[in-house]
Amino acid sequence: MRSFERYLSLWVALCIVIGVFLGQSFPVPVQAIGGLTFAQVNLPLGVLIWMMIIPMLLKVDFSSLSELKRHWRGIGITLFINWAVKPFSMALLAWIFIRHLFSAYLPEHQLDSYIAGLILLAAAPCTAMVFVWSRLTHGDPLFTLSQVALNDLIMIFAFAPIVALLLGLSSITVPWDTLFISVLLYIVMPVFIAQVLRRKLLKLGSEALEQALRMMGPWSILSLLATLILLFAFQGKAILEQPLIIVLLSIPILLQVVFNAGFAYWLNRKFGESHAIACPSALIGASNFFELAVAAAISLFGFESGAALATVVGVLIEVPLMLALVYGVNRSKRWYERAAAS
């Protein structure tokens, strides 16, 4: 696990290369995998996402929500960024860059789809990778756990309405039934399964849970890598043929991630939270639940849509970008603590 985290950018780069190669060299099998759908949900991708996030969700202890009072300011700041700033700032940036500044360089018939993908990317806070970012910044593990548990709970009820609202404001029609199925499959059911399994394991003792987490850890890692390979296999042609589009889509994503991370970091310092709280707060506020975004984009708009491509671009730049933010908050620790103490 440690070596995986240390060379995360390398593994992502390898997945990109392998995925694009498979998509171009074996288009028929890749298209066949893409066609394995039920109720507009791709089954192989759904299985991989479950295998990836259920081991992560096993770590979530909803009883930790009782600890929220200890770091209510950090929790409040992260919730404010996640639910009141990030989705709306991304919608604004998408409107500015995709609808106006870059519209002459993008396919006109895909503009709405690109905007939809960017909104989907920002509408759900990260779940699985948050634990990685927090550990790399020496963040408070209890705060991280509490925040993830609370975000998962809110996401069950808030994801679909926020997406529908922002897409509606962008004049993009969303089928509510497909959006509901996506929330059910990729949020509600994994959370339910993980919590049932967690309770059964805890009845056998805490060691049983720890052993299960150690055993299932590689599942999560391998599923993440396989998901990335599959996504880049589906979008390999678009990536090779439209490199300018990839660059243009990455600009609003990069800006909103840096803006939200910096804003959350500054707010935590302003309100006197410790560095161990500010780091995971900033990174949770900035990162996205890209697995859900990709799955929802594919369910709503299809594999070859601009929405799917936009979410894949999010995957493409998020890992190296988040690692850069990890480096930044670690390097600024002395500045943060000196400023907070003054």
Side-chain angles (χ1 to χ4, degrees):
M1 184 70 174
R2 295 288 181 182
S3 60
F4 171 75
E5 294 170 4
R6 187 178 303 167
Y7 301 109
L8 199 52
S9 293
L10 174 60
W11 305 137
V12 172
L14 286 174
C15 289
I16 294 170
V17 173
I18 294 170
V20 171
F21 171 76
L22 292 175
Q24 297 306 294
S25 302
F26 306 98
V28 175
V30 169
Q31 290 173 8
I33 293 172
L36 296 173
T37 61
F38 176 76
Q40 294 183 281
V41 172
N42 182 261
L43 298 179
L45 187 64
V47 170
L48 286 173
I49 289 174
W50 274 33
M51 290 178 64
M52 177 172 29
I53 65 176
I54 286 177
M56 295 290 186
L57 290 171
L58 267 179
K59 301 176 183 178
V60 176
D61 180 7
F62 282 99
S63 66
S64 67
L65 293 176
S66 62
E67 299 289 330
L68 293 180
K69 291 184 291 185
R70 289 182 56 202
H71 299 293
W72 62 271
R73 287 170 299 194
I75 292 285
I77 289 166
T78 314
L79 291 179
F80 172 68
I81 297 294
N82 280 159
W83 300 105
V85 176
K86 188 168 70 170
F88 299 93
S89 63
M90 178 61 97
L92 177 61
L93 288 170
W95 179 77
I96 291 171
F97 284 95
I98 306 303
R99 187 78 73 185
H100 294 282
L101 296 181
F102 297 157
S103 60
Y105 307 101
L106 297 169
E108 186 176 356
H109 69 284
Q110 290 279 28
L111 292 182
D112 284 349
S113 191
Y114 292 142
I115 292 173
L118 294 177
I119 289 172
L120 285 166
L121 193 62
C126 185
T127 294
M129 295 300 293
V130 162
F131 297 103
V132 175
W133 311 137
S134 180
R135 186 159 54 245
L136 291 176
T137 57
H138 308 289
D140 185 308
L142 185 58
F143 170 84
T144 305
L145 190 61
S146 302
Q147 184 67 78
V148 169
L150 187 56
N151 269 334
D152 284 345
L153 193 61
I154 294 173
M155 206 179 336
I156 291 172
F157 303 100
F159 177 76
I162 287 178
V163 168
L165 171 65
L166 291 175
L167 293 184
L169 291 175
S170 302
S171 302
I172 301 169
T173 302
V174 176
W176 266 94
D177 55 344
T178 305
L179 189 55
F180 176 77
I181 289 172
S182 296
V183 171
L184 186 67
L185 281 178
Y186 301 123
I187 304 176
V188 178
M189 292 182 68
V191 169
F192 176 77
I193 291 170
Q195 289 304 301
V196 169
L197 183 57
R198 178 184 173 86
R199 289 187 180 185
K200 288 184 178 296
L201 288 168
L202 284 174
K203 286 182 179 179
L204 301 175
S206 58
E207 181 58 35
L209 176 62
E210 293 300 322
Q211 186 176 353
L213 288 172
R214 287 193 296 269
M215 182 185 70
M216 296 174 70
W219 300 4
S220 189
I221 293 170
L222 293 174
S223 298
L224 171 63
L225 299 180
T227 300
L228 293 176
I229 290 172
L230 195 58
L231 294 177
F232 288 110
F234 292 143
Q235 290 289 342
K237 183 178 179 181
I239 291 171
L240 291 175
E241 293 180 355
Q242 306 171 74
L244 178 61
I245 292 178
I246 306 303
V247 172
L248 296 181
L249 289 174
S250 69
I251 291 173
I253 298 173
L254 186 150
L255 289 175
Q256 76 96 20
V257 168
V258 173
F259 168 74
N260 286 302
F263 192 23
Y265 197 52
W266 177 80
L267 284 175
N268 275 280
R269 192 201 72 173
K270 187 76 174 175
F271 285 94
E273 277 290 4
S274 67
H275 191 259
I277 299 299
C279 289
S281 175
L283 297 172
I284 293 169
S287 56
N288 305 306
F289 190 177
F290 63 78
E291 301 92 340
L292 172 63
V294 170
I298 291 171
S299 299
L300 291 169
F301 301 100
F303 275 108
E304 297 182 357
S305 65
L309 179 60
T311 56
V312 170
V313 172
V315 180
L316 184 66
I317 72 168
E318 177 159 327
V319 171
L321 182 55
M322 292 305 297
L323 288 174
L325 290 175
V326 165
Y327 176 81
V329 296
N330 284 339
R331 291 283 295 177
S332 65
K333 183 177 180 180
R334 287 186 180 179
W335 166 84
Y336 183 96
E337 292 179 340
R338 184 170 60 249
S342 62

